[in-house]
Amino acid sequence: MPVRRFLVLFLLAGVATALVLKGLEALITLRPVSMKYEIEQKLAANIASGHYAMPPQTFNERALRWQTVADLKHSPDMVVIGSSHGLRVDGAMLNEPDLQNLSVTGGMMPDGWITTDLIARARLRPRIWVIFVEPWFFDIHADIGLWQQRGDDAVAFERQLATMTKPELPPVYGPRLKKKVLPSLFTPLTLSPVIDWFEKEIRSYRFDPNPPADGELHGLALRGDGSFFLTWEVSEPETGSTRLALRQFAMDADRYRYGNYPVEDPVLWAYFTRWLLFCRAHGSEVWLILPPFHPAIYGKIVATPHNQLGTIEERTRALAAREGMKLIGSYNPAALGLGAGDFEDGDHLNDRGLTRLLAHAALTQTEPAAIRQGAAR
C-alpha cells in the first residue's frame, strides 16, 4: 500500500475513533439518573422494603436517599432529615417502628429541600418531620455544594419558598447553580469518562446489597429504616472521644460546623422558617433537634469570637415556641447531662448518646404505631 494512502487511512481511522469516543462521552454525560446510580438503586430497594442493606466502601448518599423516597410503598410515620449528626437515628430511639431516616453527610438546607420536595411530589404525608438544626444553615458563605447533583430541584423549591408568603425572598442558592458542562468537539479528548463508566458498570453489575448468607454483618450497614450503624464499637469512648474532639478543634478545620462566622443571615432564617411551615402544611408535626457538642470543647467553641451557637439556639427555641413545634436537645451537652462517654468525636453522638438525647421524645411516642396506622386508614 502506498505510504500516502496509508497515512490518509490512518488519519481517517483516528478521526473516526475520536468521534466515537466523543459520542460515547456525550452519551455517558447525558444518560438519565436511573443509569447513573445503579448501586444506590439496589441499596434503596432493600431499605424501602424494610431490609438490611450492605453498602460498598464508597457510594452516593444523596442518590440513595432520593431513590429510597421513590421506592417507598407507603408514607412513613416519621421522617428524619439531618446531616451526619442524624445518620444513626433509628426507629427504636424514637419509639417509632415506621421511621425513615433520610439524613446525608454534610447536609445543607438545599439537601433537605430536595428531599422534602421529593416526598411532597410522591404524595407522601409523614405524621412527624424530625429536622436537625445545623449551625451552618445560617452561614451565607457555607456551601458544601453536593446539592448541585439535583440543583434544578433545589432551586425550584427555593423559588417556591421565596413566594410562599410576603415579602418575597431573594434567591440564595439559585445564583450558585452551576450549568452542566457538556462535552463538545473542541474539548480535549480523554478516555477517562469511558473507562470510569465501564468500571462502574462492572462494579454495579457485581454488587449485592444483601447481608452475607451466614447473617454476619461486617463494617457499615443500613437498617431497613435507613439508619446507619457500625458492627463494631469504638474502644475507650471516654478518653478516645475527648482526644479526638480536642484534636479536631485544634486543627481549626470546618469551623462553620461550630457556628463560627460573623453573622447569621436573616434571609436564610426566613427560608428555614418557611421550610418548616411547608412541612407542617398538611397537618404534620415538626420536631427540631439541636445536636450537642462534646463537653471538652463546647466551652472553647462558644468562647470563640463571632460564635453563633447561643443565638441560633435562642432563635430556634423562640421559633419552636411561636409555631408550636417540639424542640429536642441543646448545643450545650451540660444542659442535657451528656458526658464524654456519649460522644464518638467532637460533634457526633454515639448510639448511647443519641438514645439519651432522644429519650424524652421517645416517651411521648407511647401510642402504638399499629393503632395510629389503623386510625389513619
Side-chain angles (χ1 to χ4, degrees):
M1 177 184 295
V3 174
R4 183 176 179 180
R5 179 177 294 180
F6 174 80
L7 292 175
V8 170
L9 291 174
F10 182 80
L11 179 61
L12 290 174
V15 171
T17 301
L19 290 174
V20 169
L21 290 175
K22 282 291 181 182
L24 285 173
E25 186 180 358
L27 289 173
I28 292 169
T29 302
L30 296 172
R31 69 195 189 280
V33 173
S34 61
M35 296 177 63
K36 294 181 181 179
Y37 301 113
E38 295 178 2
I39 285 177
E40 289 74 13
Q41 288 175 27
K42 291 182 178 181
L43 292 169
N46 274 33
I47 294 170
S49 299
H51 299 137
Y52 284 107
M54 305 299 295
Q57 286 188 331
T58 58
F59 64 100
N60 189 309
E61 287 183 31
R62 286 158 177 78
L64 167 63
R65 301 312 197 186
W66 303 330
Q67 186 61 47
T68 299
V69 173
D71 288 350
L72 288 174
K73 299 174 177 61
H74 73 280
S75 180
D77 210 35
M78 180 181 287
V79 163
V80 178
I81 296 179
S83 71
S84 55
H85 293 142
L87 287 175
R88 293 167 69 162
V89 174
D90 62 28
M93 292 175 183
L94 283 164
N95 192 26
E96 179 52 73
D98 191 16
L99 174 146
Q100 190 60 229
N101 192 328
L102 298 170
S103 301
V104 293
T105 301
M108 302 289 298
M109 257 205 295
D111 292 305
W113 295 348
I114 294 167
T115 300
T116 302
D117 186 41
L118 291 176
I119 289 173
R121 281 193 277 164
R123 299 187 181 279
L124 303 175
R125 298 287 183 265
R127 184 176 65 89
I128 300 173
W129 297 80
V130 179
I131 297 177
F132 278 73
V133 185
E134 306 296 357
W136 55 84
F137 279 0
F138 314 105
D139 180 3
I140 195 67
H141 300 294
D143 189 359
I144 296 175
L146 293 177
W147 58 271
Q148 299 257 1
Q149 297 172 64
R150 290 193 74 142
D152 291 337
D153 291 330
V155 171
F157 193 76
E158 181 182 58
R159 285 196 297 269
Q160 188 173 352
L161 294 179
T163 57
M164 183 174 169
T165 186
K166 297 295 183 180
E168 183 173 336
L169 300 176
V172 175
Y173 293 99
R176 302 180 187 181
L177 183 62
K178 298 176 182 177
K179 294 182 178 179
K180 294 180 180 179
V181 180
L182 300 178
S184 72
L185 292 175
F186 304 102
T187 56
L189 181 64
T190 174
L191 289 173
S192 295
V194 177
I195 294 173
D196 291 344
W197 167 80
F198 185 70
E199 289 179 346
K200 186 175 180 181
E201 286 300 305
I202 294 176
R203 182 166 163 257
S204 300
Y205 176 77
R206 299 178 59 184
F207 175 69
D208 181 1
N210 297 300
D214 60 8
E216 290 290 328
L217 303 180
H218 303 283
L220 177 65
L222 291 161
R223 297 184 181 90
D225 61 11
S227 59
F228 284 36
F229 76 99
L230 300 174
T231 57
W232 64 84
E233 290 295 329
V234 178
S235 60
E236 299 183 294
E238 294 278 351
T239 57
S241 69
T242 299
R243 285 197 301 267
L244 184 53
L246 291 171
R247 185 165 68 247
Q248 288 172 332
F249 186 80
M251 288 175 62
D252 200 25
D254 299 335
R255 299 299 288 181
Y256 64 86
R257 71 175 172 175
Y258 297 129
N260 292 334
Y261 47 89
V263 64
E264 300 161 49
D265 187 75
V267 175
L268 288 175
W269 266 106
Y271 272 116
F272 179 67
T273 302
R274 293 187 186 186
W275 173 31
L276 303 183
L277 296 178
F278 179 94
C279 292
R280 204 178 62 178
H282 296 284
S284 301
E285 296 180 44
V286 173
W287 294 4
L288 302 175
I289 295 183
L290 296 169
F293 290 84
H294 196 285
I297 63 171
Y298 178 76
K300 300 176 186 293
I301 292 172
V302 295
T304 303
H306 305 299
N307 183 262
Q308 305 297 330
L309 288 187
T311 56
I312 292 172
E313 179 161 341
E314 183 180 347
R315 292 186 69 169
T316 303
R317 291 188 180 281
L319 170 63
R322 183 174 69 248
E323 298 297 341
M325 299 173 181
K326 178 178 289 190
L327 186 81
I328 303 166
S330 169
Y331 294 134
N332 182 359
L336 307 173
L338 298 177
D342 296 306
F343 288 81
E344 62 181 29
D345 61 17
D347 59 321
H348 294 92
L349 293 166
N350 54 27
D351 287 346
R352 169 182 141 178
L354 278 171
T355 300
R356 295 184 67 188
L357 171 70
L358 302 174
H360 176 72
L363 290 175
T364 67
Q365 290 286 93
T366 55
E367 186 180 14
I371 294 178
R372 294 196 299 269
Q373 293 170 6
R377 287 193 290 268

